Amino acid sequence: MEENNNNNFVEAITDKSVDFKRWYTDVIIAAQLADYSPIKGCMVIRPYGCSLWENMKRFLDKKIKDTGHENAYFPLFVPESLLAKEAEHIKGFAPEVAWVTHAGQEKLEERLAIRPTSEAIIGSMYAKWIDSWRDLPILINQWANVVRWEKVTRPFLRTTEFLWQEGHTVHRTEEEAEEETLKMLEVYKDFMENDLAIPVYIGRKTEREKFAGALRTYSLEALMSDGKALQAGTSHNLGQYFAKVFNITFQDMDGERKFAWQTSWGVSTRLIGALIMVHGDDSGLIMPPKVAPIQAVVLPIWGNKTLEGAVEAKVKEVGEILADVCRFKVDDRREHTVGWKFNEWELRGVPLRIEVGPRDIEKNQVVLVRRDVRKKEFVPIEKLKDKVTELLNEIQKNLFEKARKFRDNNTREATNFEELSSMVESKQGFIKACWCGSEDCEMKIKEKTMATIRCIPFEQKNGKCVMCGKNGPMVYFAKSY
RNA sequence: CGGGGUGUAGCGCAGCUUGGUUUAGCGCGCCUGCUUUGGGAGCAGGAGGUCGGGGGUUCGAAUCCCUCCACCCCGACCA
């Protein structure tokens, strides 16, 4: 345990620079976002983490509904016969599907898969519900848990069971489906950048990286502060693949029976992992104010016995002022000193700290300290309300700007393979480079550098493939999670 | 799923090489009381362990052997 009187008061967590991966799990455990469970690969999301997820859900759920979607809930189980109907899709998931084979002692007549995703079960229902072009579009979203038996798991980033939302829509035309796919990509981008303060690059996935069974997959790619990229969300144009498998047809305006066009899109609790790795520092988490479970923590500093009553009264007054301003918590625990609490709440990433002590009572003020820049301010009680609102907004903006600058500063351009290779090796981050479009070159680059094509952005300038020299689009390469 | 590492109190560790003065210990945390509180407080007293599970060797196993499990790191696969 190292002693340091200036900056490093945190004993519980490893420094980011020393061991980023360990820092990541240390922070999660110490901040009580989650904990390991007795089940391999499964974690418990503790109240603090759950509250964060609920806040994230609230923002995203509203955006999903504002774009015309409704929530529904489909079964956890998928009969084997249904899942087996299509080959390509299930081939992508087969190794990670968990099966229910028994009910009590009795063997089931048909095995039930625990959904790794819900295309099959939802597709089978859509076939029942759709008959005419007038039934379209169907715009449904579900918040659910899914299970994928992963070999390697890490809290939030990849767990055996995880929480997510999956949108499943059906459209009359290919154009409409494509429009929906891209619309939701934008909804996600808006959510990630404005609510989570996580800047993302968006673009199309390569054939190799796309969702099993999809026509086209689009993704949002974020840069973690260790220089590795993280796929933060995906939106798929499923084409007519599942429609053909599950016989989702409708009679069109022209009287002809046609296969429907589908999309699916999802983001998961992995976003919590992203949030931790984008904003956190050596002292712990930093929560973007919009989704922070606690936006401000009020800490009474008791002083000597004769002043306690006055401090208590002032804390109560502060509480009343903040009541409809932000989500706050008064930490009046007696068992810890105030210094201890400073560190504790910094570790847990609360954006604003409000100190109320004997010296403040005389001046009718409080002390505000920002978590992101640790700046201290003395604020008169009558200005508290406006100041808190202002600071929370500023912190939200600052976190995004900081992350965007980091991402931009770590996005480099390579014109040939040697440059690409040395950039991956020495700097990490995103690397813009041209690629001919062949899987062959994609694989070669991956094998030689460990970097993969994260996405092909929409705004294009073509150039020579860093591998073979043929003409092709500029893409983002990165080592990724 | 391959390669490596770890597993002793809630957490971090020592003890293991060379089996027996160990009744398994230390720091932090925890409980009780008093004093404290503007950047991880002090004193006093106290609770807490089938040494990851199972099997074996031995008069005797935390210590040696086998096996299983979990977690971490590095690779192949994925949100």
Side-chain angles (χ1 to χ4, degrees):
Chain A
M1 212 172 301
E2 66 272 75
E3 278 302 314
N4 184 328
N5 291 326
N6 294 317
N7 291 314
N8 185 17
F9 301 102
V10 180
E11 300 163 354
I13 61 175
T14 310
D15 275 8
K16 277 174 108 171
S17 54
V18 172
D19 186 341
F20 189 85
K21 279 166 198 266
R22 219 178 129 193
W23 168 85
Y24 175 76
T25 45
D26 282 354
V27 166
I28 287 169
I29 302 300
Q32 297 179 18
L33 287 176
D35 201 358
Y36 291 99
S37 77
I39 304 100
K40 183 185 164 81
C42 294
M43 62 173 179
V44 174
I45 302 176
R46 300 183 68 173
Y48 194 57
C50 210
S51 172
L52 171 62
W53 179 239
E54 281 168 357
N55 288 338
M56 288 163 65
K57 262 174 88 167
R58 208 178 58 239
F59 280 101
L60 184 56
D61 193 60
K62 180 168 190 321
K63 288 180 206 293
I64 288 171
K65 285 171 180 161
D66 285 349
T67 42
H69 306 85
E70 294 176 299
N71 284 337
Y73 188 79
F74 294 83
L76 170 68
F77 304 112
V78 189
E80 183 166 22
S81 55
L82 209 57
L83 204 59
K85 272 195 173 177
E86 32 73 40
E88 191 177 333
H89 175 58
I90 195 55
K91 207 172 67 197
F93 284 104
E96 0 181 300
V97 172
W99 294 97
V100 177
T101 57
H102 288 75
Q105 292 305 310
E106 252 173 85
K107 199 172 172 210
L108 296 180
E109 211 147 291
E110 182 180 10
R111 296 200 296 170
L112 297 174
I114 299 177
R115 62 182 164 215
T117 178
S118 302
E119 270 73 11
I121 191 83
I122 292 180
S124 73
M125 295 309 295
Y126 283 174
K128 273 174 83 170
W129 296 342
I130 296 163
D131 195 28
S132 147
W133 66 273
R134 294 180 205 277
D135 297 326
L136 299 175
I138 286 190
L139 304 172
I140 284 179
N141 174 61
Q142 95 164 337
W143 290 93
N145 57 340
V146 289
V147 167
R148 297 179 190 175
W149 220 265
E150 300 285 352
K151 314 260 153 93
V152 178
T153 58
R154 305 198 56 209
F156 293 114
L157 296 178
R158 187 177 299 108
T159 47
T160 301
E161 178 187 7
F162 59 94
L163 306 181
W164 76 345
Q165 62 64 222
E166 46 181 327
H168 293 269
T169 69
V170 194
H171 305 268
R172 194 176 71 85
T173 64
E174 179 174 9
E175 296 70 45
E176 211 184 298
E178 182 70 7
E179 194 185 314
E180 166 79 7
T181 311
L182 294 173
K183 182 202 283 175
M184 295 322 289
L185 192 70
E186 285 299 330
V187 165
Y188 284 154
K189 183 176 157 79
D190 173 41
F191 168 61
M192 289 173 196
E193 299 201 329
N194 294 318
D195 301 328
L196 306 183
I198 298 173
V200 289
Y201 287 133
I202 58 175
R204 188 159 62 81
K205 282 288 188 186
T206 65
E207 284 302 298
R208 219 189 134 264
E209 302 262 339
K210 79 177 185 187
F211 181 67
L215 197 60
R216 281 184 286 278
T217 289
Y218 300 93
S219 76
L220 303 98
E221 303 285 334
L223 189 63
M224 305 300 101
S225 55
D226 66 340
K228 283 167 86 173
L230 182 82
Q231 180 173 302
T234 48
S235 184
H236 316 288
N237 183 336
L238 300 176
Q240 293 175 304
Y241 179 77
F242 291 94
K244 285 176 182 165
V245 170
F246 296 107
N247 201 29
I248 306 170
T249 63
F250 65 97
Q251 198 167 16
D252 207 351
M253 299 168 197
D254 58 12
E256 248 183 82
R257 189 148 281 274
K258 294 172 184 170
F259 287 111
W261 297 84
Q262 289 180 274
T263 82
S264 73
W265 26 272
V267 301
S268 71
T269 35
R270 170 181 265 196
L271 283 175
I272 294 177
L275 188 134
I276 296 165
M277 290 194 287
V278 168
H279 301 308
D281 65 15
D282 282 344
S283 300
L285 297 173
I286 301 180
M287 295 275 186
K290 281 194 179 179
V291 293
I294 300 167
Q295 295 171 311
V297 63
V298 181
L299 298 179
I301 296 148
W302 304 115
N304 62 51
K305 278 248 154 59
T306 56
L307 288 166
E308 275 189 18
V311 170
E312 215 166 322
K314 186 58 74 180
V315 165
K316 202 174 160 217
E317 188 188 340
V318 167
E320 279 158 13
I321 292 169
L322 294 180
D324 53 352
V325 174
C326 68
R327 296 184 289 275
F328 73 98
K329 179 185 176 72
V330 176
D331 182 359
D332 55 4
R333 287 176 296 175
R334 298 289 183 142
E335 63 266 34
H336 295 299
T337 61
V338 76
W340 192 94
K341 293 179 191 174
F342 288 172
N343 291 286
E344 172 80 350
W345 291 112
E346 281 177 9
L347 170 63
R348 303 188 84 187
V350 173
L352 264 188
R353 177 171 87 227
I354 304 175
E355 301 171 24
V356 183
R359 294 209 291 274
D360 304 313
I361 291 172
E362 306 157 26
K363 300 176 191 158
N364 201 34
Q365 65 174 22
V366 295
V367 180
L368 294 194
V369 185
R370 285 173 61 161
R371 171 65 178 89
D372 59 338
V373 293
R374 285 211 173 79
K375 208 177 101 199
K376 192 181 260 196
E377 270 187 78
F378 301 91
V379 179
I381 261 308
E382 64 272 14
K383 290 194 180 152
L384 179 61
K385 192 171 176 170
D386 293 341
K387 196 70 196 177
V388 166
T389 308
E390 180 193 319
L391 284 181
L392 288 176
N393 284 335
E394 240 173 72
I395 294 167
Q396 181 81 30
K397 253 186 246 158
N398 178 53
L399 288 178
F400 178 74
E401 275 313 309
K402 212 170 137 192
R404 194 185 54 77
K405 257 183 217 148
F406 178 81
R407 195 263 321 256
D408 290 350
N409 288 339
N410 285 285
T411 301
R412 301 176 177 83
E413 208 164 333
T415 51
N416 58 54
F417 181 76
E418 286 66 38
E419 274 178 29
L420 174 71
S421 183
S422 76
M423 281 175 187
V424 174
E425 195 124 334
S426 61
K427 316 259 199 216
Q428 301 222 12
F430 284 112
I431 297 145
K432 293 157 105 172
C434 290
W435 165 65
C436 64
S438 79
E439 192 166 330
D440 196 39
C441 287
E442 185 182 6
M443 283 305 288
K444 271 187 199 154
I445 295 168
K446 186 184 174 180
E447 275 162 28
K448 289 186 178 172
T449 67
M450 299 306 299
T452 51
I453 298 172
R454 301 320 304 156
C455 69
I456 309 160
F458 299 120
E459 60 288 350
Q460 267 312 331
K461 59 168 192 185
N462 280 26
K464 283 187 169 43
C465 173
V466 289
M467 202 69 215
C468 69
K470 272 187 230 155
N471 207 47
M474 189 278 287
V475 302
Y476 289 109
F477 284 93
K479 276 197 196 174
S480 75
Y481 273 95

